[in-house]
Structure formats: C-alpha cells, structure tokens
Amino acid sequence: MDQRVRVPPALEQTSVRLDIQQALLYSAKSVKCGKALEANVVKVTATEFVKNFGRYREEAQRAPVAITSHGRTTGYFLSPHEFAELERLRAYERRAYRIEELPEDLFEAIMNARMDPRHDHLNMLLDE
C-alpha cells in the first residue's frame, strides 16, 4: 500500500519537505508495524550484556539490543545511525512549555507574530 504524506504548498519548495515526509512515514510505519519492529530487537539480560559487550556492540550495528533486568527492559543499546535517526525524529517533536518556562526568544516571536493582513481585526484582539 502506497502511503503518501500531504505537505502544505508552502513547504513544497523547501529542502525540509523530504525530511518531514520521511519522519512522518517512519513514525506511521513504527506505530503501524510496532510488532514487526519489536521482532527486530535483540533482547539480552544485563549480565549477559556485560559479559559479552563486544558481541552486542556488533549486534547493535544490525538491530537495537534491549537490555533487560528481572524480566523488564531497562535500556537499549543502539548503533550511531539509529541514535542519529532518533535525534532527527525528536527534532520534529512537538514541544510544550509552561508560561513561566517559555524561553525569551519564543516569547518574543509569539508577541511579534502577525497574521495575514486580511485578519488584522484578530491582531487587535491580541493587543488588548
């Protein structure tokens, strides 16, 4: 099944378009194929991991290694490529801030933001 992501026309001309599409498709596939992705993970106890670190370091280049303790997953060992992919996806994550924790630059950007001129009557509501 071909899954396409609709990208707003404003983004079509930017180089960001492909990255956003890839991130959304990766995310959708991860949710849709959660069991399949889980099947690719190698599970190992913490004791086994410590004893055979070199082996699992190599294994992590092919698939993430889940480290368990007392039957619970306590962490993952990833390849640099997988970690970079995780960091790239985190960059697209939605951020939420409490008002008192809002960074100054974001506060200024919000206060100086203006809508399209045809919505000026709404800008006046922000100034009140």
Side-chain angles (χ1 to χ4, degrees):
M1 173 185 351
D2 183 28
Q3 290 187 357
R4 300 211 182 242
V5 176
R6 291 179 187 244
V7 177
L11 291 179
E12 285 186 359
Q13 302 302 319
T14 68
S15 62
V16 176
R17 179 177 183 242
L18 187 58
D19 284 342
I20 291 173
Q21 281 183 321
Q22 288 172 339
L24 290 173
L25 285 174
Y26 182 86
S27 181
K29 287 178 186 175
S30 296
V31 170
K32 194 172 186 180
C33 306
K35 296 290 183 194
L37 290 175
E38 204 172 281
N40 291 335
V41 174
V42 176
K43 287 191 174 185
V44 62
T45 65
T47 304
E48 175 71 16
F49 180 78
V50 170
K51 286 181 183 176
N52 297 299
F53 176 77
R55 173 183 169 199
Y56 293 110
R57 182 182 57 210
E58 294 301 316
E59 187 69 36
Q61 301 307 310
R62 291 183 287 284
V65 177
I67 302 162
T68 63
S69 180
H70 303 289
R72 280 188 19 236
T73 300
T74 57
Y76 290 89
F77 192 59
L78 305 170
S79 69
H81 173 73
E82 287 286 332
F83 185 75
E85 181 71 10
L86 175 64
E87 288 295 305
R88 191 175 71 76
L89 289 173
R90 279 187 179 162
Y92 292 110
E93 232 175 28
R94 187 174 183 187
R95 300 275 193 257
Y97 295 99
R98 296 174 58 103
I99 299 262
E100 58 271 8
E101 297 170 354
L102 189 66
E104 188 66 32
D105 59 331
L106 287 179
F107 177 78
E108 290 297 322
I110 291 169
M111 293 307 294
N112 294 325
R114 293 290 177 245
M115 291 185 241
D116 189 280
R118 61 191 159 150
H119 301 297
D120 278 342
H121 63 285
L122 297 173
N123 278 334
M124 288 188 288
L125 294 174
L126 291 174
D127 292 335
E128 291 180 358

